[in-house]
Amino acid sequence: MIDASVLETEFHAAQEAVTRQGDVVRSLKAAVKDGKAEKSAVDEAIEKLKDVKLDMERKKKAYEDATGKTSGANKEAFRAAMLNALERRLFFIPSFKIYGSVAGFYDYGPPGCAMKQNVTQTWRNHFVLEENMLEVECPAVTPEIVLKASGHVERFTDFMVTDVKTGDCHRADHLLEHALEALLEDARNPPSPKAAHAARDLLARVGELGAEELGAALTQYGVKAPDTKNDISAPFPFNLMFKTSIGPRGDLVGYLRPETAQGIFVNFKDLLYYNGSKLPFAAAQIGNSYRNEISPRAGLLRVREFTQAEIEHFCNPADKSHPKFQSVAEVAPLLYSRALQMGEEKKPQRMALGDAVSKGIIANETLAYFIGRTYLFAQRIGLNPDRVRFRQHLQHEMAHYAEDCWDFEVECSYGWVECAGLADRSAYDLNAHSSMSKVELSAYERFAEPKEVDVLSIVPNKKELGKLFKKDAKAIADALEAMGECDALEMQQKLAAGQPVPFKVDGQVFDMQPGFVEIKKERKKMSGRNFTPAVIEPSFGIGRILYCVFEHCFYTREGDEARSVFRFTPVTAPVKCTVFPLLQRAELNERAEAMSTALTRERLSNTVDTTGTTIGKRYARTDEIGVPFAITIDYQTVEDSTATLRERDSTAQVRVPLAELPGLVRRLTDMELTWEEVAAKYPAQAAPAQDE
Amino acid sequence: MIDASVLETEFHAAQEAVTRQGDVVRSLKAAVKDGKAEKSAVDEAIEKLKDVKLDMERKKKAYEDATGKTSGANKEAFRAAMLNALERRLFFIPSFKIYGSVAGFYDYGPPGCAMKQNVTQTWRNHFVLEENMLEVECPAVTPEIVLKASGHVERFTDFMVTDVKTGDCHRADHLLEHALEALLEDARNPPSPKAAHAARDLLARVGELGAEELGAALTQYGVKAPDTKNDISAPFPFNLMFKTSIGPRGDLVGYLRPETAQGIFVNFKDLLYYNGSKLPFAAAQIGNSYRNEISPRAGLLRVREFTQAEIEHFCNPADKSHPKFQSVAEVAPLLYSRALQMGEEKKPQRMALGDAVSKGIIANETLAYFIGRTYLFAQRIGLNPDRVRFRQHLQHEMAHYAEDCWDFEVECSYGWVECAGLADRSAYDLNAHSSMSKVELSAYERFAEPKEVDVLSIVPNKKELGKLFKKDAKAIADALEAMGECDALEMQQKLAAGQPVPFKVDGQVFDMQPGFVEIKKERKKMSGRNFTPAVIEPSFGIGRILYCVFEHCFYTREGDEARSVFRFTPVTAPVKCTVFPLLQRAELNERAEAMSTALTRERLSNTVDTTGTTIGKRYARTDEIGVPFAITIDYQTVEDSTATLRERDSTAQVRVPLAELPGLVRRLTDMELTWEEVAAKYPAQAAPAQDE
């Protein structure tokens, strides 16, 4: 990984050199006017100015390539060039293309599919294997009750408006955002400072508006349907889950899961037992989730079917330390804390995670540990560490039950994109499923030594209840025993004061009289306690991460915009090595095929390119899909059983004995060996002409 | 892999030994009676008889374990014991268990999930990587038009009947099968030979019956609803696809794909281009498919959401040879050809695939190549090669367009289960999508040298048509040009005879007169031709394969039915190695943790078991989930930095230096090294007592 700060320094130094040389030219010109210098000296200085300008442009490009810090127009051009390369080389394909496609669905073609596999397997190794997580796989089709418990049936909605004439559907918040942005950017008819302020303020709050406020704002700004300019309906909530029906009777409603997490929660009890009833432990799931987006845009970033990789780390809410925290305490990603977001500069800062926890910026070690592991993962798959950050949720962004949330954001041509969310969700999810399923989802903690604890005791007088309420008596007794502490103590107070208390059971109301139930708090010696574990949830969107890898790795060869390259790390590259017979000759083709077989034996995905085009064109083709290494079989191979090995980004070549090549490429791909080490060991092949 | 035929020979030899010794005892007893021998000689002979009987029982068990050739009752007991082990150790979990589960859905728990990953990755390496296939990944949500083209909307149905009182749904064919089986097995009230013959005949044809025949048969045999014994409705087709709606308007019908294959077909054009417009090539997809089964039973074998791995090999219909066929020509799996199924013995036979192709038993090299590769794959993941076979479809089982089909069947306690299908589907699928999408899905073949070919030429007289039919003229001309050869030549004949021909275009009929269109066959020199490629489709059900791996690998330790073991190959085993500190001591635990870290660095999934139970119990626990290797850290480890390594099936142990262990386990797991080689190199640890 090239360090962007080095490139930045070089770029700024070159800028200064241009300024200095400009001054030289100007003063020389003045001197010529005054007859104090020769015209030839000016010409020479101008030539030098051209050189340093060229150098500066080159260094600017290198810096911009490494950091993506390009202007808006550049960003569009960059994205267009990259998407062109991705689509041309079949990294992805709009799904059902021969039928005109359906918005929000994409297929991964061969190199895209291979890369998605590589990123997913790297994730699995980095998280599941190294942390000994319990991986599960649950179905996507989910019965309604599970998603009622999680709140998705009621609340997993976006506000929609329809075109009153065509019936076309639009996301209300997107329409409002576009209207406000257009207003603010209208150069011909700029808004008053007051109006601009109001628009900017509203723009920042669009995501928080309810249906009524959203409707009022759409009316206030006179928002119409895009394209048709027809009137739009009032906003109403649209549930984003795909609905289906399970079984032939048609009476069991199912949805495609909107996230994989619920599958882990419903299995908590079995997983805890599998883990020897010990906390903390983490479970993970990689699988597809589904969101029926109202009008998907932003290409690969907002799709209707996507792969998630989610972790649920279950722990004692009283102890969120992490045994391996020290291993990431020195890791220092860009942190964009709440304070920095509210501050003057609005810029994230690098900070060691150990400091962030000790200063209370990150709520606990476990959350910080996963932030550190996520940052290391990002680097392993080839994201630019200067273009990833962790942004803390502002208070109003978090659900009421969440303790702390950080989004893992990656900078790309669309701006900063959320690629993972890391949230301390407290005991919310387990409590929700426990209360819906009536199955206790808790863990047991044995105290170091027995403790005196106040315990609520509710003892219904079953005889009395039976006499009075007959067949309802059992349900009443059960309901009494299940009362929460607050309700129970209130009832106890009233009963103690001799008041009857109306008590609702299954929709019916029964009057409780003094003597029907004994409620008291007792001091008991307890050797342990049951509690609902807290959940810390790192949740990754694999497709978005992959898209950002594409953006961070795409560049064009210096001096040739048409030659695009992906600088994928060997771990993520779709194909690890290409084998080129220099010419279409049987003796070269045979050796190329043998090399391919040897590479396959090393589990290295590889291709042989026997097309007769120039080796330069073939190198360009392999650069385009980001193959890190290329082996060329030439006539020297026939003589001395050596071949050239080329590295993609430097285009440097070395000559290596055939027998050593498969193992060498294996170690380069596993990142056990660097190209520099290889270049130092083997003789360089001075054949840059081959790369033309 | 133990050879079952060796075990069979040993078992039969032991049976004979028992018979012989029985004879000895009998003759000795007679001799004692006659006073010709001592009583003690009889006792001695009886003791020996007991020994050889014990030996015979042991050999019988070994043979049955290896082949699963057990009686019906034994099969039920075997399956119950295995499912108990699987469920207890969380290989799988009924989905949404805390909500009472939903039939046909299962979660994979940690070891099941790891094994599914291992089987899937092995499949990917064995097929996609080694064959350089083009892997794609397409969404499960599919718009209706795609599945209309494939025929699933119309024909992907099972016949259903409902209980007229409760509305419960049942599969009509299953009810009929059960009724016929009950009739045939009724010992108290056996059917007449004629009735038995009719029932047996019908039983063999149940799968082919239409709604009416099925209804008639259900009435004839008086079939009622199970459990309730109520009357049932007439059978009607029920489509097995899960239906949903894409987008917010509700007007775009979608289904969850019933197979992954269609995603490959719709991308054929792009994939062909990606492959340099060259045939043959194969594309593959691994992903989930969905079938809304009417009443799923047979546990893990018939589920509503399952993972498929499908290959579509596209080739020239005139050339179905395979370049790598020679590599499998000597491979000889059990083949159950059409002829063998129709023959007397009804037994599959081992046959070299080279012979099967040359004798015309398998239709072509490519199909046979994939049969060979499937057989090798089965062995790699630990299926017993004596319990897998390839069964050819009988003529009536195949779709009209199919050229040849073979099912990969695996024997398990449910009988022979279809785990993959290998079909030569001719050009059916591409033609279907081409005709629905109006996109040409064809390949181009350049002839070795130009050929004279008869070409149909249809030239509408546009001027004449325009004069007469005005605005319809263009549509008529287009339709004329699109005519098939047969229709065109028929029209030409009639027109030549001076007859007008009524011609239907978009529902309207126009009279064609002589002179409106010129139709003729021309001899042309062609340098190549367009054609629709044929498709050979190997399609695997990963879940079923995994289930059969469980069955083939499950056994109990000799002499202890309670100690269950899975003999998973190191490749598929969910965990590769367990590390046991012999006692709960800090110095042992530390070394165990260090060993675990070293194993993880080698990408070997491993667990440390620090529970204080006996080492024997811990070995039993690791056997239960099929961990092939175990390292025990004991006091000698502290002294000389060695530890014991135990192999699961032999329970043999060797003592190995700590530093060598991770690499050694790595090579054992990659199957680069056998346990026999390890046992020969390192000193044996004579501590069988530890395994108690």
Side-chain angles (χ1 to χ4, degrees), chain A residues 135, chain B residues 89-92 108-117 546 550 574:
Chain A
E135 191 176 353
Chain B
R89 298 307 303 271
L90 236 54
F91 279 84
F92 72 92
Y108 289 100
C113 197
M115 283 197 64
K116 190 178 166 222
Q117 271 303 313
L546 187 55
F550 292 149

Side-chain angles (χ1 to χ4, degrees), chain B residues 622-633:
Chain B
T622 189
D623 288 345
E624 259 190 347
I625 62 163
V627 182
F629 306 107
I631 293 170
T632 300
I633 306 288

Side-chain angles (χ1 to χ4, degrees), chain A residues 73-132:
Chain A
N74 275 1
K75 276 181 192 171
E76 298 287 327
F78 171 86
R79 192 197 302 153
M82 183 196 68
L83 288 178
N84 180 295
L86 288 176
E87 222 170 325
R88 200 176 60 244
R89 298 308 303 272
L90 236 53
F91 279 84
F92 71 91
I93 311 157
S95 300
F96 324 114
K97 199 169 132 184
I98 61 172
Y99 292 103
S101 307
V102 178
F105 291 100
Y106 290 93
D107 295 349
Y108 288 100
C113 197
M115 283 197 64
K116 190 179 166 220
Q117 272 302 312
N118 295 340
V119 168
T120 308
Q121 286 304 334
T122 305
W123 191 93
R124 182 174 271 121
N125 284 332
H126 187 80
F127 289 103
V128 179
L129 184 69
E130 289 193 26
E131 310 283 341
N132 242 311

Side-chain angles (χ1 to χ4, degrees), chain A residues 600-619:
Chain A
T600 302
R601 213 174 292 128
E602 289 280 348
R603 297 254 176 281
L604 291 163
S605 74
N606 64 88
T607 53
V608 181
D609 183 347
T610 55
T611 57
T613 48
T614 66
I615 191 76
K617 274 204 185 128
R618 285 185 280 168
Y619 279 146

Side-chain angles (χ1 to χ4, degrees), chain A residues 175-491:
Chain A
L175 293 194
L176 181 59
E177 277 168 5
H178 292 166
L180 294 170
E181 281 162 4
L183 179 84
L184 288 166
E185 286 164 15
D186 191 345
R188 276 198 248 169
N189 193 10
S192 70
K194 201 181 150 192
H197 184 270
R200 227 172 268 122
D201 178 60
L202 187 58
L203 193 54
R205 293 186 301 117
V206 168
E208 303 154 41
L209 302 180
E212 278 189 30
E213 297 166 285
L214 206 47
L218 288 168
T219 308
Q220 185 195 332
Y221 287 94
V223 177
K224 303 281 173 189
D227 305 330
T228 66
K229 301 299 162 205
N230 293 331
D231 281 346
I232 54 174
S233 72
F236 57 94
F238 171 75
N239 194 300
L240 298 179
M241 291 193 294
F242 285 98
K243 196 171 183 173
T244 190
S245 170
I246 305 171
R249 288 185 64 126
D251 55 0
L252 181 55
V253 172
Y255 297 95
L256 300 188
R257 62 180 172 196
E259 58 174 36
T260 64
Q262 302 308 322
I264 300 177
F265 295 133
V266 300
N267 282 319
F268 168 75
K269 210 180 146 135
D270 279 334
L271 293 171
L272 176 67
Y273 179 76
Y274 186 82
N275 201 50
S277 302
K278 277 183 294 192
L279 286 183
F281 74 89
Q285 180 166 203
I286 301 175
N288 282 5
S289 294
Y290 299 80
R291 296 186 188 176
N292 194 9
E293 298 285 351
I294 293 170
S295 48
R297 273 172 298 186
L300 294 166
L301 288 182
R302 189 169 292 279
V303 292
R304 285 169 163 161
E305 179 166 346
F306 53 98
T307 302
Q308 285 190 309
E310 296 195 291
I311 296 165
E312 308 298 332
H313 177 98
F314 298 99
C315 59
N316 189 329
D319 177 11
K320 293 177 181 170
S321 64
H322 195 285
K324 288 164 79 177
F325 180 67
Q326 278 317 310
S327 68
V328 300
E330 302 295 315
V331 172
L334 283 170
L335 294 184
Y336 200 18
S337 67
R338 224 168 274 152
L340 288 170
Q341 291 171 66
M342 307 300 280
E344 273 300 296
E345 279 217 61
K346 304 206 182 298
K347 261 192 173 176
Q349 277 175 13
R350 283 203 183 275
M351 186 181 285
L353 293 168
D355 295 341
V357 171
S358 64
K359 288 180 184 159
I361 295 170
I362 301 176
N364 57 65
E365 277 189 9
T366 298
L367 198 51
Y369 178 72
F370 282 117
I371 287 177
R373 293 290 295 167
T374 300
Y375 185 64
L376 296 175
F377 168 70
Q379 281 172 270
R380 184 152 183 93
I381 58 171
L383 290 172
N384 181 336
D386 291 324
R387 297 180 69 194
V388 307
R389 71 181 184 192
F390 293 85
R391 189 183 69 79
Q392 190 171 31
H393 278 205
L394 299 176
Q395 272 308 343
H396 69 257
E397 289 181 90
M398 292 202 296
H400 63 93
Y401 49 78
E403 301 259 327
D404 194 9
C405 293
W406 292 76
D407 281 346
F408 169 61
E409 298 184 329
V410 183
E411 196 189 17
C412 74
S413 64
Y414 291 102
W416 287 93
V417 169
E418 180 198 341
C419 286
L422 300 103
D424 180 340
R425 300 175 55 83
S426 73
Y428 178 78
D429 308 278
L430 291 181
N431 280 336
H433 282 294
S434 185
S435 114
M436 182 69 92
S437 67
K438 313 286 178 216
V439 172
E440 198 182 344
L441 302 177
S442 64
Y444 181 77
E445 175 189 21
R446 174 173 292 278
F447 299 138
E449 48 191 74
K451 278 185 196 173
E452 295 262 320
V453 180
D454 280 332
V455 179
L456 183 73
S457 148
I458 302 174
V459 182
N461 185 333
K462 290 188 183 164
K463 204 173 148 194
E464 198 73 21
L465 292 172
K467 257 199 294 190
L468 215 69
F469 300 117
K470 307 273 174 345
K471 68 175 175 40
D472 294 321
K474 181 161 185 327
I476 296 170
D478 287 351
L480 286 168
E481 282 173 346
M483 265 193 295
E485 178 159 332
C486 215
D487 290 345
L489 293 179
E490 196 186 320
M491 181 182 282

Side-chain angles (χ1 to χ4, degrees), chain B residues 16-30:
Chain B
E16 279 170 36
V18 171
T19 312
R20 275 197 310 274
Q21 190 61 22
D23 291 345
V24 170
V25 171
R26 264 187 302 280
S27 59
L28 274 176
K29 277 185 175 166

